[in-house]
Amino acid sequence: MWDLFWTFAKVGVMTFGGGYAMLPILQREVVENKHFATEEELMDYFAIGQCTPGVIAVNTATFIGKKHKGTLGAIFATLGVVFPSLIIIMLLAGVIEAFSHIAWVQHAFGGIRVCVCVLILNAVVKLGKKSIVDTATLIIFLLVAVGSFFTSISPVIFVVLAASAGIILKSIGGKRA
């Protein structure tokens, strides 16, 4: 249990910029270092975590903890991933307003935002390489990308439609073989 807690605490403390910025760190720690999940399982957890209420990293930690050590594992993993943020936020909450008007602090936040964009892009590219594996998944990807760029449809709708399309396209493809 403590291994789960400390692994996810390390993920939590090393991550800046929210759940999406955690994706590459989660992949390295959970798949490569600890072998708590496979690449495919982690991508599934990301997908499910995206379409369920809550932060994707917290949801993913909960799924992995549950898989690895049951309900108690889910609790320890979830507490681990939020623990560093809770401590850091409590420490910063008292001083952030006092320093937020200083130019170098504003510039630092601007640089951090750009860095987080790159971390998110890196996670998207890695996930894309593992997820877009054939023509069917490429079509689903393109349709969801275009739909999300040009409409305000809820991401949950895209997930449900993509899941349905995946089932249908793989069923049709499987029958041809």
Side-chain angles (χ1 to χ4, degrees):
M1 294 299 170
W2 288 111
D3 192 29
L4 274 171
F5 179 86
W6 289 115
T7 297
F8 282 98
K10 183 167 50 169
V11 169
V13 80
M14 293 172 50
T15 303
F16 296 88
Y20 292 109
M22 279 187 184
L23 300 183
I25 298 167
L26 272 169
Q27 190 274 337
R28 184 183 67 237
E29 289 299 318
V30 169
V31 175
E32 295 172 14
N33 293 348
K34 295 293 183 171
H35 307 289
F36 288 154
T38 65
E39 288 271 350
E40 292 76 22
E41 287 172 328
L42 189 60
M43 286 188 293
D44 291 343
Y45 296 149
F46 288 162
I48 295 167
Q50 175 62 40
C51 64
T52 54
V55 178
I56 189 171
V58 173
N59 294 348
T60 302
T62 305
F63 292 135
I64 292 168
K66 174 76 171 166
K67 174 196 178 257
H68 194 62
K69 292 285 187 180
T71 301
L72 200 53
I75 292 168
F76 271 73
T78 302
L79 290 174
V81 81
V82 299
F83 180 74
S85 296
L86 179 66
I87 299 301
I88 293 167
I89 289 169
M90 286 179 9
L91 293 172
L92 288 176
V95 297
I96 194 76
E97 283 298 317
F99 297 103
S100 65
H101 67 284
I102 299 173
W104 68 266
V105 172
Q106 293 173 354
H107 297 312
F109 282 130
I112 290 169
R113 283 191 296 272
V114 171
C115 177
V116 168
C117 290
V118 172
L119 293 173
I120 292 169
L121 179 61
N122 184 36
V124 168
V125 169
K126 282 184 178 181
L127 287 170
K129 287 179 181 178
K130 297 283 184 177
S131 300
I132 304 168
V133 295
D134 57 17
T135 304
T137 53
L138 177 62
I139 290 168
I140 293 169
F141 171 82
L142 292 173
L143 290 172
V144 171
V146 169
S148 67
F149 291 145
F150 297 109
T151 70
S152 60
I153 295 173
S154 167
V156 174
I157 302 297
F158 285 119
V159 171
V160 170
L161 291 173
S164 301
I167 291 168
I168 292 167
L169 291 172
K170 290 298 181 176
S171 295
I172 291 170
K175 290 178 182 175
R176 285 187 205 159

